[in-house]
Amino acid sequence: MKGLELIKKAFALQPVERVPWVPFVGVHGGFLTGTDAETYLKSSGEIVKGISKAVEEYNPDGIPVVFDLQVEAEVLDCKLRWSESGPPAVVSHPLAEGKKRSDLKIPGAGDGRIPVCLEATKILREKYPDIALYGLITGPFTLALHLLGTDIFMKLFEAPEEVNEVMEFCTQVGQKMAEYYMDAGCDVIAVVDPMTSQIDPVTFENFVTPFVSRIFEDIRIKGKLSSFFVCGHAQQNIEAMCNCRPDNVSIDENIPLDFVKEITLEKGISFGGNLKLTVVLLMGSADDCREHTLECLDLGGKTGFILAPGCDLPRETPLKNLKAVTALIHDPYQQDVVRTLEKKESTLEIFNMKDYGQAEKVIVDIITLDSESCAPCQYMVEAVKRVAPHFDGVVEWREHAIKKMEAVSFMSSLMVKNIPTICIDGKIAFVSQIPPEKELVAAIQKRINEKLKLKIRSKRSEFILLGEEESQCRELQERAMRALTELGKDVEIKVVAGREKLASYGVTQTPAAVAVSYKIKSEGSLPSVEVIREWLKEL
Amino acid sequence: MSELLSNIAECIEFGKINKVAPFPPQMKGQDGADELTRQALDEGISAQRILTEGLMVGMEKVGIKFRENKVFVPQVLMSAKAMSTAMIHLKPFFLSGEVKEKGTFIIGTVEGDLHDIGKNLVSMMVEGNGWKVVDLGTDVKAEQFVSAIKEHQNAFVGLSALLTTTMVSMEKITKAIKEAIPEAKVAVGGAPVTDDFRKKIGADVYSPDPQGLVEYLNAQVA
């Protein structure tokens, strides 16, 4: 199950097999298609292109059509300043600059950029019937702030009636916008009201709750889903937000996910968030993103949780980072790997492996999560298991399941990063992909040949003849020379005479012959205990 | 006499501007920062004492309550408004040099960012603690910061940003300042900013709340 159905299930607080994923792609959509923020937000065609690209890359269950909290303000005569890399900013506040509340009219579906948003919604609806489309509207308090400027904060105390009047108007705007988006095909209406993070719960209950609740009620009557987005330090207001009866509350990294989880679930409301936008998604590595995503998944759990960035994705968020999040969320097995590694990496002991794989036999190591529970691991182990007997005892294989601490150390020592991986004599040979039998055989054979070559080069042997006197060995020496000639071998024959020397060879009766073969095991280095142990096994 | 000062502090703490102001409800009909400051001057209390034992005490209490999430932006803005009403009475004493400022703090929201709530809060808190504040406004370029620091010798400088996108601009400006005036002390703040980020860009101080910055500044001149 995926997309809309999965989101509906999560909103209904039914347990899901996989947590739904909603990347908040705003002007980042333009980044994906090489379009600047202004061009992007002014063209339904560009929005459709950007979101389509995001759908293709990030395989989302839900996605916002447009993330721009200035659409309504622009229609209501706020001046905007456009930027290449972010959504526009409101630079003038009409109600603080002489306009009267009665001068402002509820925006129509054809005003300003509203048709751009609705057109994009319709096209995307048709194109992606199974993905939950989010219509984002500016929350009434944030819109009121756009209209009044920061004066609104003092007017809360000094002119509460005026604030109420503006809030009433902004609520009607929100209701209308929600209606437009629902009619155009959105499944979820998100009321985005970040400025509420700046007020205390009592002020919230007095000035926000009575208004915003009406928007959520409208959405419920229409049979659609609603979400209440807030960003910033809004921890104090989460409970008050729930009391406005949205279906979902979505927050950013400023609020701990488990805190929100506890409050929302108790109120029977689903919750979402809160991937860190800057330090992880924008500035972190793909590995950081995987680790952090997992942290969110583990905290959020599989009931009533939707994974999403804390807010609008910064435009230049690297594609590879969001793809890492996408891959992880769709792959429970990768989650296990990251989870296991994360726990154990800190207490790791690294072996010195530079001499690993010098033993007579070829050693094939398979690094797995655990072949019993992880399918790709199992197939990889089986592939090796099938091939090994062909080599008739020359090849030895071992599985290292990283659920054990030593295996994690072993894995890190061999610099293995992915699971499963096959190493041949300590060298990474196959990563993640299960090799076809032929390739695996060829790779092992190659290593056997290498070792054979080395063996021929490094072997030095002596044939030692022992006697009490040299003359005693003469006959033996002649026979040995004859044998060497017949074999075509290059072995040095040495005669050792003298009773006192016999004992050191363990010889008691003469004449005697001892064959000695030397083999270089290491040169100019200090092999580890593990490595020496492997060599000793050959003796 | 000292009761008058503590009443002034209370007006600042709770944002009581003047007698007619309806806020806060529990102080309805009482004299506000405006009337009490006038009275104090008339009674011969020095402007310096009114500032340090009245206004600054109240401002510090608000700063701490804000840090502890006991009050939020609206309440702090009310306090700031009460503060600036009181300051009108004290202005002549600043100009005559009778009241000493602790130093100069230059502040601005960085290039590309037009948000000023955070910047204004910080500037009011710093001013309320006896500093001269030079507010460069929003969307301020590196050169503007640099020339302001050159104009006000030994001034500290604060960069504000609300958007993740303008954090990049913060880095650029910090580097430009450090290049032009290596000994300049740069403070950074704003919703997306963290201490890790501060280290990355080579700024000197980060505080998640205005009070933290005030404490830093005061420590520098103590």
Side-chain angles (χ1 to χ4, degrees):
Chain A
M1 190 196 286
K2 64 164 290 184
L4 182 56
E5 289 311 305
L6 196 63
I7 292 214
K8 280 186 174 166
K9 231 176 146 179
F11 268 59
L13 304 188
Q14 290 166 16
V16 288
E17 278 175 29
R18 173 177 68 74
V19 171
W21 155 234
V22 182
F24 294 155
V25 175
V27 291
H28 176 68
F31 177 68
L32 293 176
T33 53
T35 310
D36 67 88
E38 180 171 359
T39 313
Y40 182 81
L41 289 172
K42 286 181 172 174
S43 151
S44 57
E46 289 299 335
I47 293 168
V48 168
K49 253 166 65 188
I51 296 297
S52 302
K53 182 78 180 157
V55 168
E56 185 188 310
E57 297 286 0
Y58 306 145
N59 195 8
D61 299 295
I63 199 158
V65 179
V66 178
F67 205 128
D68 177 357
L69 302 184
Q70 285 68 233
V71 173
E72 293 95 325
E74 187 183 22
V75 177
L76 296 169
D77 281 345
C78 293
K79 287 198 184 59
L80 300 191
R81 210 186 74 169
W82 288 90
S83 121
E84 270 181 33
S85 57
V90 166
V91 292
S92 74
H93 311 289
L95 295 182
E97 291 155 18
K99 277 230 178 196
K100 292 204 164 51
R101 158 47 207 104
S102 50
D103 298 337
L104 302 174
K105 283 207 288 287
I106 307 282
D111 291 341
R113 285 181 294 127
I114 298 173
V116 169
C117 303
L118 299 180
E119 178 68 17
T121 307
K122 286 176 194 155
I123 299 170
L124 290 168
R125 175 74 296 160
E126 195 142 315
K127 201 167 171 189
Y128 303 109
D130 301 326
I131 293 180
L133 287 184
Y134 280 56
L136 268 53
I137 66 169
T138 312
F141 191 74
T142 300
L143 185 56
L145 187 108
H146 282 330
L147 296 176
L148 278 168
T150 40
D151 287 355
I152 192 175
F153 290 119
M154 283 176 276
K155 288 196 162 154
L156 290 170
F157 304 122
E158 296 182 311
E161 306 78 23
E162 189 187 339
V163 175
N164 274 329
E165 195 195 338
V166 176
M167 282 298 290
E168 171 63 38
F169 173 74
C170 292
T171 304
Q172 289 174 22
V173 174
Q175 287 173 305
K176 216 59 196 167
M177 288 299 291
E179 184 187 318
Y180 298 152
Y181 268 122
M182 287 189 284
D183 290 347
C186 281
D187 309 288
V188 182
I189 298 299
V191 177
V192 190
D193 218 346
M195 291 323 294
T196 60
S197 64
Q198 301 304 315
I199 58 178
D200 58 285
V202 175
T203 310
F204 187 99
E205 278 163 11
N206 287 333
F207 290 95
V208 180
T209 307
F211 298 102
V212 81
S213 302
R214 278 158 49 196
I215 302 178
F216 293 124
E217 189 59 28
D218 279 9
I219 300 167
R220 194 167 12 258
I221 288 169
K222 276 231 173 191
K224 304 282 181 172
L225 299 171
S226 65
S227 179
F228 203 166
F229 285 13
V230 69
C231 37
H233 301 266
Q235 192 158 352
Q236 74 279 7
N237 290 332
I238 298 297
E239 193 167 346
M241 287 172 71
C242 291
N243 292 339
C244 299
R245 299 192 59 217
D247 297 309
N248 175 274
V249 166
S250 198
I251 49 113
D252 76 8
E253 66 217 62
N254 286 303
I255 309 179
L257 196 57
D258 44 355
F259 173 86
V260 174
K261 178 184 182 179
E262 196 179 317
I263 293 183
T264 51
L265 289 184
E266 191 170 304
K267 300 257 176 194
I269 290 171
S270 65
F271 64 106
N274 67 350
L275 292 169
K276 293 182 180 171
L277 289 174
T278 49
V279 286
V280 177
L281 294 181
L282 180 64
M283 300 167 174
S285 67
D287 274 339
D288 296 337
C289 290
R290 272 186 282 270
E291 241 172 70
H292 175 57
T293 302
L294 186 75
E295 205 181 306
C296 289
L297 288 176
D298 285 350
L299 272 179
K302 288 188 172 168
T303 305
F305 174 54
I306 287 167
L307 180 76
C311 197
D312 190 6
L313 285 163
R315 183 171 182 274
E316 284 87 10
T317 308
L319 177 79
K320 67 170 175 39
N321 282 3
L322 290 167
K323 287 192 75 109
V325 176
T326 303
L328 190 86
I329 191 149
H330 285 96
D331 190 349
Y333 142 73
Q334 212 189 89
Q335 292 169 21
D336 276 355
V337 172
V338 175
R339 194 174 287 126
T340 312
L341 286 183
E342 194 187 347
K343 267 188 230 135
K344 294 181 174 169
E345 216 147 53
S346 51
T347 52
L348 221 62
E349 188 193 345
I350 303 289
F351 301 141
N352 174 9
M353 303 297 272
K354 73 177 194 283
D355 300 306
Y356 189 73
Q358 302 303 319
E360 196 90 351
K361 286 182 176 178
V362 171
I363 307 292
V364 179
D365 292 298
I366 315 146
I367 324 290
T368 65
L369 179 65
D370 178 0
S371 63
E372 313 252 303
S373 61
C374 142
C377 302
Q378 184 195 339
Y379 295 137
M380 201 174 251
V381 171
E382 275 171 10
V384 174
K385 218 190 232 177
R386 245 194 332 269
V387 162
H390 297 337
F391 295 96
D392 211 8
V394 175
V395 170
E396 194 175 307
W397 66 273
R398 302 184 280 216
E399 181 187 345
H400 304 267
I402 59 159
K403 287 191 169 165
K404 283 199 203 108
M405 193 63 213
E406 304 143 42
V408 178
S409 294
F410 189 83
M411 173 180 175
S412 304
S413 307
L414 287 181
M415 321 254 271
V416 171
K417 292 261 180 278
N418 303 74
I419 285 183
T421 288
I422 292 177
C423 293
I424 298 176
D425 268 348
K427 297 253 160 26
I428 295 171
F430 300 98
V431 178
S432 299
Q433 308 294 331
I434 321 291
E437 190 169 322
K438 247 176 150 173
E439 275 182 38
L440 183 58
V441 169
I444 297 173
Q445 191 59 56
K446 188 171 160 236
R447 177 62 190 161
I448 294 175
N449 294 349
E450 272 172 20
K451 275 190 155 171
L452 196 63
K453 252 192 277 175
L454 200 70
K455 200 167 165 183
I456 292 168
R457 196 173 60 83
S458 67
K459 205 150 193 175
R460 288 280 173 277
S461 303
E462 286 177 354
F463 198 63
I464 302 169
L465 310 180
L466 301 159
E468 287 184 30
E469 289 161 24
E470 236 174 87
S471 59
Q472 208 186 349
C473 298
R474 195 149 302 136
E475 178 64 20
L476 187 56
Q477 192 175 7
E478 269 166 31
R479 290 183 189 190
M481 296 294 276
R482 170 79 184 260
L484 265 189
T485 315
E486 285 177 9
L487 277 170
K489 272 211 142 194
D490 173 29
V491 173
E492 194 184 335
I493 293 176
K494 217 161 121 184
V495 176
V496 176
R499 181 180 283 274
E500 69 289 355
K501 292 179 183 159
L502 299 179
S504 64
Y505 291 90
V507 168
T508 49
Q509 312 246 323
T510 53
V514 174
V516 177
S517 65
Y518 299 94
K519 191 173 165 197
I520 304 163
K521 286 297 192 184
S522 66
E523 265 182 322
S525 69
L526 205 59
S528 70
V529 175
E530 284 74 19
V531 170
I532 297 173
R533 195 158 59 212
E534 291 302 319
W535 294 337
L536 292 176
K537 280 185 193 164
E538 292 168 24
L539 300 178
Chain B
M1 195 165 84
S2 65
E3 199 191 325
L4 195 49
L5 289 175
S6 72
N7 286 346
I8 292 176
E10 202 181 342
C11 286
I12 303 301
E13 182 182 352
F14 293 100
K16 177 72 175 169
I17 298 161
N18 52 27
K19 191 162 186 166
V20 296
F23 183 81
Q26 75 271 19
M27 291 170 87
K28 209 170 172 180
Q30 296 174 20
D31 283 342
D34 187 20
E35 292 86 3
L36 294 178
T37 306
R38 189 68 255 164
Q39 277 174 40
L41 286 171
D42 291 346
E43 283 182 26
I45 303 174
S46 76
Q48 183 72 56
R49 278 194 67 198
I50 297 173
L51 179 71
T52 49
E53 293 172 41
L55 305 180
M56 276 167 58
V57 172
M59 216 52 193
E60 189 179 354
K61 285 192 173 157
V62 181
I64 291 168
K65 283 201 275 185
F66 185 61
R67 167 193 283 173
E68 291 172 349
N69 283 338
K70 287 184 181 145
V71 297
F72 292 85
V73 169
Q75 289 87 349
V76 178
L77 288 173
M78 292 308 287
S79 292
K81 198 166 173 182
M83 175 90 189
S84 54
T85 311
M87 289 295 261
I88 293 171
H89 299 291
L90 301 186
K91 209 78 194 187
F93 301 94
F94 279 97
L95 295 175
S96 71
E98 191 187 321
V99 177
K100 291 261 176 298
E101 279 150 343
K102 292 179 184 168
T104 305
F105 182 65
I106 298 164
I107 189 167
T109 306
V110 297
E111 183 175 6
D113 205 323
L114 295 155
H115 295 86
D116 63 357
I117 301 179
K119 181 211 52 151
N120 291 348
L121 283 183
V122 171
S123 101
M124 291 179 233
M125 291 271 193
V126 173
E127 192 173 22
N129 260 278
W131 287 75
K132 175 179 177 175
V133 172
V134 177
D135 188 340
L136 302 178
T138 60
D139 192 18
V140 182
K141 293 183 175 52
E143 309 86 74
Q144 290 169 267
F145 279 107
V146 169
S147 64
I149 304 170
K150 285 184 176 158
E151 190 184 327
H152 303 276
Q153 294 288 316
N154 301 320
F156 293 83
V157 61
L159 314 182
S160 168
L162 178 78
L163 301 171
T164 50
T165 45
T166 50
M167 288 167 77
V168 186
S169 180
M170 203 171 239
E171 177 171 16
K172 211 176 74 187
I173 293 172
T174 303
K175 293 203 164 125
I177 293 175
K178 291 283 180 184
E179 195 166 307
I181 309 130
E183 68 280 5
K185 292 273 184 262
V186 179
V188 292
V193 181
T194 60
D195 199 49
D196 276 351
F197 178 75
R198 193 253 331 147
K199 282 183 204 144
K200 247 185 203 166
I201 66 168
D204 298 285
V205 63
Y206 159 78
S207 168
D209 55 86
Q211 190 61 27
L213 175 70
V214 167
E215 284 164 13
Y216 166 83
L217 290 175
N218 288 343
Q220 300 305 301
V221 294

